[in-house]
Amino acid sequence: MAATVRRKRFRWRDVEGYLFIAPHIVGFLAFMLLPIVSSMYLSLNAWDMMSPPRFIGLRNFQQLLYADRLFWQVLGNTVYYVVLSVPPSVVLPLLLAVLLNQQVRGVSIYRAALFMPVVTSALAVGLAWAWLYDGQFGLFNYVLSLVGIKGPSWLSDPDLAMPAVVAVGVWQGLGYNMVIYLAGLQGIGQHLYEAATIDGAGRLRQFMHITVPLLTPSTFFTLVMGVIGSFQSFGLIYIMTNGGPLNSTNVYVYYLWQTAFGSSRMGYAAAMAWILAVIIFIITAIQFRLARTWVHYQ
Amino acid sequence: MATRNLSRREAIRLAMLGVAGTAIAACAPAPTPAPPPTKAPAPAAPAPTQAPAAAPKPAAAPTATPAPAPATPTPAPAKPTAAAKPATAPKIKIEYLGYVDDLHKEAWSVFEKANPNIELEKSVVVGGWLDILAKISSRLAAGNPPDLISVPTYGQYITWGRKGLLLQLDDYVKADKEFGTEAIPKKVLDGYRVDTKLYGIPKDYVAWGLFYNVDLFQKAGIKPPDDTWTWKDVVEKGAILKKEAGEKTVFSYLTPMGQGNAEGWLWQNGGPGFFDREKPNVDWQTPTINHPKNVEALQWLADTVLKYKLAPGPEALKTEASTPRMLTGRLSMWPGTTINTVELLKNEDKLNWMVTHLPLAYQGGPRATMTWTSGAAIVAKTKYKDECFAFLKSMSIGEGVVVLGRSGFSIPAGVKQVGAFLSDKMKRHGGQVFLDASQKYDIVQNDRLGPHHVQLLNTAITPNMEAIFLGRKAVADAVKEMQAGMEEIVRKPED
């Protein structure tokens, strides 16, 4: 049978489909793809924003990896930030979600209260916490003084500054991850708990053997997003410490911003951005690979 | 008339078409606004490279207004200031981007009153100098620059000048009768030169002095500091003046710790500082922080905090800044700038204070002061060059800068305006020393570090200076790292 090729007739319905997704496609092209491609091009150039980019090949990358001492310190600080912030950002919201999944009075008020920091700007959060941390007038040191302890200078001690900032970041993100877990908890069938109760399992055992395994998709999500978000932390550092003292809180994106806008080295900053993108990509790929061994989908 | 209900699909289709049409219309270029009708035709202002012969009319001539420039310049009436036009004319809007505070607004209002045809639109940048410079850079890069910008003497300002993004002002200054050659001290004005060309005009500068709490000195039975004091006196008398009392400790000194503060002490000790600015045509390629005299001076500064414990360290200062310590009588003496006098003058009833010369490093040593300065520049693309120049005049050798001087905040850049700084109150407290410092000291330099200023501070200098005063690094080690870090930054090819 001879194949007949029929020319597809123009149909409005098809156009409508494209029109519906057009805003997103335009947004994606203009605000995602174009900047991505531009930054890749810029990473191979020297560009101070004031004159046309000058192609220098891989020199930016070479300099970053082999000649920029601060780059490695900043990368180390960022890994430290990730290691400090991700575990509590995964575990604490889980515990809170389990607590707030109970049928108690005013539970929605608690949920809303815990979600409030998520919708509060980093500026407000950073300023408020900087006051709480204040060595002389801050609430924390006041409370410590009540029990006879002289509180430290939280944000000006190079050893304490990073943990102090991380604590604020974790606190701010609690509500978001808690909502993720709450949604996951609502999806776990009650019959599983009932069966476990009949089999004599206590609350802790039910939590460890039903709740935690069945929440692994949510845990995986919070873990992946937590790692990505922590690598990109900026706002709180900018507000609370400006990367100091002694560069102890100078993290990757803060240094990138300083390089781009403080020193007008856009090409160098673009190269930094691409190195960060590769790091995040590799870590995320590893997470997805390992997820097969511990994430259980019902 | 027959009517038909639209189906949902048709309604959506029409709506989409409407939105698409509106979007296309919105993307169309805006019509070019007509030039202000009152704008007198004038010769175009010179390009940065133009020879002096092509100098524009001085801004003192109201006719020398910008842009559409055919025909003959119209003779203009002599008016309050250069760019002033009849009040009935529509206002010209000049956008200023940079440092904004109430005191400066008050100073600018003087210019606005004298030039009722000009509306100064102040674009505020939240943050410090780094944020201001970043914002200006972005606006310049985007091709959407303001007319006027705040400028320091370093960093991106140098790049903007070299790239021709700022209006070269030499011809304007030469052509202006009021400016002449001595309206602003040469050293201050030269700070704004980029490769010998002038792109900015300073509005003011500060100088340093040693403030002291008269009552605390009297109580301790110590003769107040004077121009014979040396660093040795600071340590000896400071030991007597310090009163240990936990959080209420009365410190006897306040050690300058950052580059912009501490470098003057390196000069006092005979060191060249971070770069040898005293050399003609400093190239910003040869850091000199590892000079033995610098190391010695930094060691002395560190000792005042860590060894003699005369001054609060960086952690203590983070907890409680210096001003409340001064105002509550918990600092006996403290080096400071004219900026400190604003708060002190406001609180005269609370604190019996005086200011004198900074102590010398050693008898016969050089007298030196750091002078921070900031000014303004005109963006080359502006349509209102002469109006902008009139603003620069007001804020350097005009009535505008007098407002700043009168407040005690800073010393006006204009030689004739300097007197405004020395109010009766200021005189009573010994404020003459600031003028002496800026005019008579052996070394008077500002804090600029050349085109890599911000990068040098962020990566090589500030972390090491912090480490010194936190006691985390020996001075010699920190200096070694600063020198290496600075060399790495200034010598690598531009990228």
Side-chain angles (χ1 to χ4, degrees):
Chain A
M1 192 176 78
T4 54
V5 179
R6 241 180 59 191
R7 204 173 154 201
K8 208 174 168 188
R9 201 163 59 85
F10 173 83
R11 287 191 310 172
W12 248 112
R13 277 191 77 144
D14 298 341
V15 178
E16 277 171 1
Y18 286 111
L19 280 176
F20 276 117
I21 61 167
H24 182 77
I25 294 290
V26 170
F28 173 77
L29 290 175
F31 300 114
M32 300 286 283
L33 194 62
L34 183 66
I36 288 171
V37 173
S38 304
S39 73
M40 184 175 270
Y41 169 72
L42 286 176
S43 70
L44 304 172
N45 286 267
W47 188 44
D48 63 4
M49 296 200 288
M50 304 300 150
S51 41
R54 184 167 45 84
F55 186 78
I56 55 168
L58 294 173
R59 203 199 296 162
N60 284 330
F61 292 94
Q62 191 186 7
Q63 199 179 327
L64 265 170
L65 298 173
Y66 300 109
D68 188 338
R69 283 179 290 181
L70 191 55
F71 171 78
W72 291 104
Q73 187 187 346
V74 161
L75 187 58
N77 289 345
T78 312
V79 171
Y80 181 44
Y81 186 101
V82 174
V83 169
L84 277 187
S85 69
V86 172
S89 299
V90 172
V91 176
L92 292 178
L94 170 63
L95 300 177
L96 281 173
V98 171
L99 280 176
L100 294 180
N101 199 36
Q102 313 297 318
Q103 298 300 319
V104 289
R105 278 184 69 176
V107 70
S108 50
I109 294 173
Y110 296 128
R111 286 178 188 172
L114 281 164
F115 197 74
M116 281 291 279
V118 179
V119 292
T120 308
S121 80
L123 178 75
V125 168
L127 287 175
W129 277 81
W131 270 103
L132 292 173
Y133 278 133
D134 189 282
Q136 187 166 3
F137 309 106
L139 183 67
F140 296 142
N141 280 3
Y142 171 71
V143 171
L144 288 174
S145 73
L146 294 179
V147 289
I149 299 171
K150 189 181 183 314
S153 299
W154 298 95
L155 296 177
S156 42
D157 182 327
D159 299 325
L160 287 178
M162 185 64 101
V165 177
V166 165
V168 183
V170 170
W171 173 81
Q172 196 182 13
L174 278 182
Y176 182 79
N177 287 349
M178 180 193 74
V179 169
I180 303 290
Y181 281 122
L182 273 172
L185 284 170
Q186 321 262 317
I188 301 176
Q190 278 305 309
H191 63 281
L192 296 171
Y193 293 104
E194 284 160 12
T197 308
I198 291 166
D199 288 346
R203 299 292 288 267
L204 185 63
R205 190 165 279 218
Q206 287 179 21
F207 175 74
M208 295 304 291
H209 293 280
I210 299 174
T211 310
V212 171
L214 292 180
L215 278 180
T216 48
S218 305
T219 307
F220 178 57
F221 177 79
T222 54
L223 187 64
V224 169
M225 297 309 286
V227 169
I228 293 173
S230 300
F231 265 106
Q232 297 176 338
S233 56
F234 172 80
L236 291 174
I237 300 285
Y238 177 75
I239 301 299
M240 295 176 74
T241 62
N242 281 124
L246 306 185
N247 274 327
S248 60
T249 61
N250 195 347
V251 289
Y252 203 99
V253 176
Y254 186 77
Y255 182 46
L256 192 157
W257 173 79
Q258 276 185 328
T259 306
F261 293 100
S263 312
S264 295
R265 302 169 74 206
M266 285 291 168
Y268 199 72
M272 282 185 74
W274 272 97
I275 290 176
L276 181 63
V278 169
I279 292 171
I280 290 177
F281 179 80
I282 291 172
I283 291 175
T284 309
I286 293 171
Q287 284 178 309
F288 268 89
R289 186 77 182 83
L290 293 177
R292 291 179 205 167
T293 61
W294 65 272
V295 178
H296 309 286
Y297 294 96
Q298 283 189 71
Chain B
M1 194 171 96
T3 56
R4 182 173 74 87
N5 287 335
L6 281 177
S7 68
R8 194 177 56 169
R9 188 169 295 282
E10 284 170 329
I12 291 170
R13 187 182 297 161
L14 286 171
M16 296 294 275
L17 285 171
V19 169
T22 311
I24 290 166
C27 290
T32 317
T38 52
K39 220 187 279 175
T49 50
Q50 241 172 321
K57 275 198 126 185
T63 49
T65 29
T72 337
T74 325
K79 273 305 129 291
T81 68
K85 295 234 171 52
T88 50
K91 283 197 171 187
I92 290 168
K93 261 193 189 175
I94 294 178
E95 186 191 355
Y96 169 91
L97 178 64
Y99 185 75
V100 177
D101 66 9
D102 287 342
L103 182 61
H104 282 77
K105 278 185 192 165
E106 192 188 329
W108 298 329
S109 70
V110 175
F111 168 75
E112 289 172 301
K113 273 179 202 151
N115 295 275
N117 62 317
I118 298 175
E119 185 183 334
L120 196 64
E121 201 177 20
K122 298 127 196 151
S123 295
V124 182
V125 181
V126 179
W129 262 110
L130 182 59
D131 305 280
I132 292 172
L133 298 178
K135 178 83 177 175
I136 295 170
S137 271
S138 308
R139 291 279 303 271
L140 288 168
N144 172 33
D147 302 285
L148 283 163
I149 55 174
S150 286
V151 289
T153 53
Y154 49 72
Q156 287 118 315
Y157 168 67
I158 296 173
T159 312
W160 302 332
R162 284 182 180 157
K163 305 278 180 194
L165 296 164
L166 304 179
L167 186 69
Q168 196 190 330
L169 299 169
D170 296 273
D171 296 338
Y172 280 84
V173 170
K174 270 182 212 159
D176 190 284
K177 280 179 196 161
E178 290 167 59
F179 246 109
T181 49
E182 288 169 1
I184 293 176
K186 187 176 180 307
K187 207 161 191 174
V188 180
L189 191 65
D190 283 352
Y192 290 80
R193 291 192 181 279
V194 178
D195 307 330
T196 73
K197 293 170 187 165
L198 187 68
Y199 291 104
I201 303 283
K203 64 179 167 65
D204 55 358
Y205 54 92
V206 306
W208 285 71
L210 180 70
F211 292 88
Y212 59 94
N213 182 321
V214 178
D215 296 339
L216 289 178
F217 270 79
Q218 274 175 359
K219 240 186 244 174
I222 297 172
K223 203 179 141 219
D226 57 29
D227 60 0
T228 64
W229 268 42
T230 63
W231 291 0
K232 201 171 156 217
D233 293 297
V234 171
V235 174
E236 284 174 3
K237 311 288 192 310
I240 302 166
L241 286 158
K242 189 184 172 193
K243 301 274 177 275
E244 195 70 58
E247 282 175 6
K248 301 288 175 199
T249 294
V250 178
F251 284 101
S252 45
Y253 197 60
L254 186 69
T255 304
M257 298 184 205
Q259 174 265 335
N261 297 337
E263 200 173 0
W265 271 251
L266 314 190
W267 303 333
Q268 285 171 31
N269 198 44
F274 288 83
F275 288 98
D276 192 351
R277 300 180 188 78
E278 290 290 296
K279 270 188 183 167
N281 302 323
V282 54
D283 63 358
W284 309 113
Q285 294 287 306
T286 318
T288 51
I289 187 60
N290 63 354
H291 190 285
K293 288 286 181 187
N294 287 340
V295 179
E296 204 176 84
L298 280 171
Q299 187 64 61
W300 183 80
L301 289 171
D303 286 348
T304 58
V305 176
L306 301 168
K307 185 176 167 189
Y308 307 124
K309 300 191 187 307
L310 304 178
E315 291 187 23
L317 282 172
K318 189 106 183 178
T319 297
E320 189 185 6
S322 52
T323 308
R325 290 173 190 269
M326 295 164 197
L327 296 178
T328 53
R330 285 180 294 130
L331 264 181
S332 308
M333 55 184 156
W334 61 97
T337 70
T338 52
I339 295 170
N340 292 102
T341 65
V342 177
E343 276 304 308
L344 292 172
L345 288 171
K346 274 187 207 160
N347 290 283
E348 272 189 315
D349 54 330
K350 288 186 193 142
L351 186 70
N352 186 7
W353 63 275
M354 288 292 288
V355 60
T356 185
H357 293 276
L358 288 177
L360 296 166
Y362 48 89
Q363 283 301 346
R367 286 205 178 274
T369 184
M370 166 69 77
T371 53
W372 306 327
T373 171
S374 72
I378 302 171
V379 174
K381 270 188 177 177
T382 182
K383 289 191 287 179
Y384 306 114
K385 295 181 172 71
D386 292 340
E387 286 82 353
C388 289
F389 186 68
F391 173 83
L392 260 52
K393 273 182 71 177
S394 173
M395 288 304 295
S396 57
I397 60 166
E399 285 301 305
V401 75
V402 167
V403 174
L404 299 184
R406 227 182 272 139
S407 75
F409 178 84
S410 54
I411 303 169
V415 172
K416 286 183 187 164
Q417 287 68 29
V418 164
F421 172 78
L422 213 54
S423 62
D424 288 344
K425 265 185 176 185
M426 189 68 91
K427 270 186 206 160
R428 222 170 36 235
H429 288 285
Q432 176 68 41
V433 295
F434 293 116
L435 298 184
D436 291 346
S438 64
Q439 292 163 4
K440 297 178 185 166
Y441 277 14
D442 305 303
I443 302 166
V444 181
Q445 284 290 355
N446 78 23
D447 57 334
R448 62 188 173 148
L449 299 168
H452 301 289
H453 184 98
V454 177
Q455 201 184 346
L456 287 168
L457 279 183
N458 285 342
T459 58
I461 298 173
T462 305
N464 281 302
M465 294 290 275
E466 281 180 340
I468 289 174
F469 292 103
L470 283 168
R472 298 267 174 152
K473 269 185 198 168
V475 171
D477 295 338
V479 164
K480 209 171 154 188
E481 280 196 31
M482 275 193 268
Q483 180 75 19
M486 291 177 74
E487 284 175 359
E488 192 178 285
I489 291 165
V490 297
R491 288 183 185 161
K492 72 183 166 212
E494 271 189 39
D495 51 12

